[in-house]
Amino acid sequence: GFSALKAEPVIFDSTLVGTSIDAIVNRLEYLGFYDSHAEAETQYTGKQARVTYKVTPGKQYPMKDISYQIADKVMDSIWARNRGKTLVKQGDRLAESVLEQESQRLASVFRDNGYYGFSKNYFLFFADTTATPDSSLLTVELRDYTRKESPSAARPHTQYSIGNVSLVPQGRLKVKSRFLQYLNLIEPNTPYSETVINN
C-alpha cells in the first residue's frame, strides 16, 4: 500500500535568511550574472513566517575574445584537434559554470591522449571586463601546476603510452585467453586513454 507522509513544520530561523541571500547571489554569479543583488522581506501572520526574496540579476559580459596559452607543443596540438567541441564560445556570456565544464571536458581529452591523472585544475581562467565596454576578454592558460599549488610545484606534463598488456583471470575463474583477448580494447604501444581503460 501507499501512505502519504506529512512533513513536519519547519521552525523559522531568521539567521538562515541572510545565508539564503548569499547563496542566491553566489549562484547567480556562478551562472554569469555579476554584481547581482538579493533582499528578503519577512511577513509574520500569527505563528507563521513568510519570506519573499526579491532578486535582481547582475550584469552579463559576453566573451568578445578568447585566447588559449598552451606552452607544450604536443598538448597544444591535442587541444587544436578538439577545439571544435569547446563549450566556451565567442559571444556567449562569461560564466564560471561554463568555464568549469570546459576545464573538465579538456581534462578528459588530455586523459584520453596519454596524460594519465591529468586534472582540470591545471587550467586557469583570466577574464578582463574592463578593457572593452560591456564585454569580456578571456584567457585560458594551461599551466604545469594546479590552481591549488604555487609555481614552485611546477612539473612537466608526461604523456604515457601502454606497454605490455597481460590478462590474468582472478581466483578460480576459468576463461579462455582468446575470449579475454577478444574483449580487451587496450592495445600495446598506444597512448594511455582513460575511456579505453574504462571500456
Side-chain angles (χ1 to χ4, degrees):
F2 174 79
S3 61
L5 298 175
K6 288 190 173 182
E8 292 291 322
V10 177
I11 297 172
F12 178 64
D13 182 348
S14 60
T15 62
L16 294 179
V17 173
T19 304
S20 296
I21 288 173
D22 290 344
I24 291 167
V25 169
N26 289 338
R27 184 65 181 169
L28 285 169
E29 295 206 348
Y30 182 72
L31 296 173
F33 298 90
Y34 297 95
D35 297 320
S36 294
H37 180 72
E39 57 186 43
E41 183 180 292
T42 307
Q43 296 174 329
Y44 297 93
T45 306
K47 292 186 175 183
Q48 290 190 344
R50 179 184 183 90
V51 181
T52 303
Y53 294 94
K54 295 179 182 176
V55 180
T56 307
K59 188 171 183 174
Q60 298 177 63
Y61 293 93
M63 291 177 281
K64 184 176 182 180
D65 185 59
I66 304 165
S67 62
Y68 286 79
Q69 295 179 358
I70 303 175
D72 184 298
K73 294 198 182 321
V74 174
M75 297 183 90
D76 188 50
S77 68
I78 292 169
W79 167 80
R81 287 196 311 266
N82 290 274
R83 74 183 303 172
K85 296 179 182 176
T86 185
L87 305 175
V88 179
K89 297 176 183 166
Q90 195 170 344
D92 288 356
R93 77 169 178 262
L94 176 68
E96 186 183 341
S97 58
V98 178
L99 300 181
E100 190 67 17
Q101 290 170 11
E102 178 66 357
S103 64
Q104 289 173 353
R105 185 191 75 82
L106 284 172
S108 179
V109 165
F110 285 116
R111 287 194 302 270
D112 277 347
N113 282 275
Y115 293 90
Y116 173 80
F118 187 89
S119 164
K120 67 179 182 174
N121 292 321
Y122 287 111
F123 289 101
L124 280 88
F125 300 92
F126 303 96
D128 185 350
T129 58
T130 61
T132 56
D134 301 322
S135 62
S136 62
L137 305 176
L138 179 69
T139 302
V140 181
E141 185 179 338
L142 173 57
R143 290 189 173 171
D144 50 6
Y145 57 95
T146 68
R147 301 174 201 170
K148 300 171 184 175
E149 297 174 322
S150 66
S152 63
R155 61 208 168 276
H157 295 289
T158 303
Q159 192 174 31
Y160 295 92
S161 60
I162 301 295
N164 293 328
V165 178
S166 300
L167 302 169
V168 181
Q170 295 296 304
R172 297 180 183 177
L173 185 64
K174 302 228 183 237
V175 180
K176 291 183 180 179
S177 63
R178 193 172 63 210
F179 178 67
L180 289 178
Q181 290 292 344
Y182 171 75
L183 293 177
N184 176 46
L185 302 174
I186 305 167
E187 298 290 333
N189 304 315
T190 58
Y192 166 86
S193 169
E194 182 177 71
T195 299
V196 170
I197 300 290
N198 287 341
N199 287 344

